[in-house]
Amino acid sequence: MIDSPQKNLGHGGTLDAVIADAVAIGDFYRHLSLWLADRGSRAQLIVADNSPPPLVENDVVVRYSRNEGRPPYGLIEDETSTDEEAEVDL
């Protein structure tokens, strides 16, 4: 299980850092895809990511919202808010 792989990305403060971060996270997910493809059904990978890149959109199994009216709702009871746009993807 990998939790928040993008947590430390985006801290460069310049446009070049943002572009580099986008490339890095794309490369990270491509690496995971290749790794899993090589192992077939013998492997499982769980990634908790608030904003997975579009290249893995078809692999998102469930999206948790922070909005009680939009289930499935939240993951951690004290970490919920009324922000309707905030989501956690698994």
Side-chain angles (χ1 to χ4, degrees):
M1 177 169 182
I2 300 172
D3 186 10
S4 305
Q6 299 187 56
K7 183 176 182 180
N8 292 317
L9 295 176
H11 297 284
T14 67
L15 180 59
D16 290 340
V18 171
I19 293 169
D21 288 348
V23 170
I25 199 63
D27 287 347
F28 170 74
Y29 274 99
R30 275 188 283 285
H31 172 75
L32 294 181
S33 295
L34 290 171
W35 185 86
L36 283 169
D38 186 46
R39 281 144 186 84
S41 63
R42 297 175 294 150
Q44 178 181 9
L45 182 62
I46 299 169
V47 181
D49 193 341
N50 289 331
S51 54
L55 68 100
V56 296
E57 184 62 34
N58 291 334
D59 297 317
V60 173
V61 175
V62 65
R63 290 184 193 275
Y64 290 91
S65 88
R66 292 183 181 177
N67 179 342
E68 290 182 66
R70 198 171 67 208
Y73 168 64
L75 289 174
I76 303 170
E77 187 175 311
D78 65 348
E79 291 295 327
T80 58
S81 71
T82 58
D83 181 3
E84 292 185 21
E85 296 303 313
E87 294 183 347
V88 176
D89 297 324
L90 291 178

